[in-house]
């Protein structure tokens, strides 16, 4: 029982130190197939975790993508996970790593409250509310 | 004999340095390429109301960008950037913005038209057959390539050059500017063509 309590406390404290800021999605024209989301995920714990999945209330599919400029060419690629370092942060920003929302199910307009559950390698989830930018 | 060898070595090094600078100058790749090295010129693609040629805009300054509508980041940013710059340009009525989708598989003239109008009602969206697109991109040294994404809902993405082209009222290419340049730099270049 004692071990279980310690385990629960440790698990909770590890997750409790993950937070986010600067979350926004890009507004796109009606009928668009995709949009991108950006966020900074902070990990205050001593253990690194991976962002391994995302589910949103406005897309059928959400993937993790990187964006790199190589020899002046923009290249977007899908990745399976993104590391949030211990005592560090994972920054998803324009022209770089982003959440890729595909097969949009709702209009990306002022009425939408874009939300997502971010899933981490420790089995926990983080609920995120995104701002909207054009 | 050693003097000849040394001379050839120096000459070889110099030639290598010149060739390297011409082809791999990283500043040119990342920021602004010289318009002189790009041919530019006439092309015909398809807009929502039918064929559109660059020469249709003779007398106007044309700003062009090549991308695709499923591009979630750099293409919308490029269009927002242009919209922002133009708001700050008094002579914006003399400027036409053309967004060319190189994604002939997914984008139709209607899709592209709708996409660009979201950013500015006066922006013009164009695309075409692979042959039409290839003719245009060749003239502007634009690179694009379809990349299969097997486990993605996107199925494929399109690697592409992210650069603005400013064409003068006579149809000749005047400037090329990387899309990540500060907007003041772009504005200065645009104004120099408008003068």
């Amino acid at each position: 029982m004692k071990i279980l309590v310690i385990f629960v406390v440790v698990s909770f404290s590890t997750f409790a130190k993950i937070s986010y800021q600067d979350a926004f999605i890009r507004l796109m024209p009606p009928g668009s197939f995709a949009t991108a989301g950006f966020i900074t995920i902070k990990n205050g714990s001593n253990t690194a975790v991976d962002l391994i999945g995302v589910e949103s209330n406005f897309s059928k599919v959400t993937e993790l993508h990187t964006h790199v400029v190589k020899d002046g060419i923009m290249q977007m690629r899908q990745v399976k996970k993104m590391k949030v370092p211990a005592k560090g942060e994972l920054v998803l920003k324009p022209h770089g790593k982003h959440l890729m929302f595909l097969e949009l199910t709702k209009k990306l307009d002022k009425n939408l409250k874009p939300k997502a559950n971010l899933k981490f390698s420790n089995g926990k989830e983080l609920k995120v509310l995104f701002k909207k930018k054009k | 004999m050693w003097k000849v060898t040394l001379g050839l070595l120096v000459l070889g090094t110099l030639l290598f340095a010149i060739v390297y600078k011409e082809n791999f100058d990283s500043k040119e790749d990342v920021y602004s390429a010289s318009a002189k090295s790009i041919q530019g010129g006439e092309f015909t693609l398809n807009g929502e109301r039918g064929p559109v040629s660059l020469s249709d805009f003779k007398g106007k300054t044309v700003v062009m960008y090549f991308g695709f509508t499923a591009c979630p980041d750099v293409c919308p940013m490029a269009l927002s950037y242009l919209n922002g710059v133009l708001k700050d340009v008094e002579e914006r009525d003399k400027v036409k913005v053309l967004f060319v989708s190189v994604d002939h598989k997914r984008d139709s003239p209607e899709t592209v038209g709708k996409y660009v109008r979201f950013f500015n009602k006066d922006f013009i969206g164009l695309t075409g057959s692979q042959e039409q697109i290839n003719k245009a991109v060749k003239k502007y040294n634009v690179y694009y390539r379809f990349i299969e994404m097997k486990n993605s809902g996107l199925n494929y993405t399109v690697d592409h050059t992210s650069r603005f082209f400013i064409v003068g009222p006579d149809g000749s290419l005047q400037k090329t500017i990387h899309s990540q340049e500060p907007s003041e730099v772009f504005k200065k270049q645009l104004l120099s063509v408008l003068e």
Side-chain angles (χ1 to χ4, degrees), chain B residues 146-164:
Chain B
F146 292 100
I147 304 290
E148 191 182 0
M149 296 173 93
K150 279 184 181 171
N151 300 312
S152 170
L154 206 53
N155 295 322
Y156 68 89
T157 185
V158 190
D159 289 356
H160 65 95
T161 304
S162 184
R163 189 174 280 167
F164 299 117

Side-chain angles (χ1 to χ4, degrees), chain B residues 18-173:
Chain B
I18 291 165
V19 170
Y20 186 88
K21 185 160 174 47
E22 287 286 315
N23 293 289
F24 302 103
D25 190 320
S26 62
K27 181 154 174 56
E28 283 211 341
D29 277 336
V30 178
Y31 297 105
S32 302
S34 164
K36 285 177 191 168
S37 62
I38 302 173
Q39 178 194 352
E42 176 72 337
F43 59 80
T44 300
L45 291 161
N46 299 322
E48 286 170 286
R49 293 175 197 163
V52 175
S53 300
L54 180 64
S55 54
D56 294 347
F57 305 102
K58 212 161 187 181
K60 297 274 187 188
T61 294
V62 173
V63 179
M64 287 193 300
Y65 182 86
F66 295 79
F68 64 112
T69 71
C71 165
D73 186 17
V74 295
C75 302
M77 274 189 80
L79 289 167
S80 287
Y81 173 104
L82 286 178
N83 188 45
V85 171
L86 288 176
K87 274 182 186 165
D88 209 22
V89 172
E90 268 185 41
E91 294 178 288
R92 56 184 168 274
D93 290 349
K94 294 181 181 174
V95 181
K96 282 284 173 196
V97 171
L98 308 183
F99 177 90
V100 178
S101 170
V102 294
D103 187 357
H104 56 85
K105 296 182 185 180
R106 201 155 30 199
D107 288 337
S108 65
E110 291 74 25
T111 315
V112 191
K114 203 168 155 186
Y115 179 79
V116 297
R117 275 198 304 278
F118 180 71
F119 299 92
N120 184 309
K121 65 177 176 56
D122 295 321
F123 287 2
I124 296 164
L126 303 175
T127 189
S129 65
Q130 188 170 12
E131 193 188 352
Q132 284 177 300
I133 291 167
N134 286 349
K135 274 186 187 171
V137 300
K138 197 176 173 187
K139 289 191 172 180
Y140 290 86
N141 275 16
V142 167
Y143 170 94
Y144 81 97
R145 187 163 66 123
F146 292 100
I147 304 290
E148 191 182 0
M149 296 173 93
K150 279 184 181 171
N151 300 312
S152 170
L154 206 53
N155 295 322
Y156 68 89
T157 185
V158 190
D159 289 356
H160 65 95
T161 304
S162 184
R163 189 174 280 167
F164 299 117
F165 298 87
I166 304 179
V167 176
D170 63 350
S172 68
L173 179 63

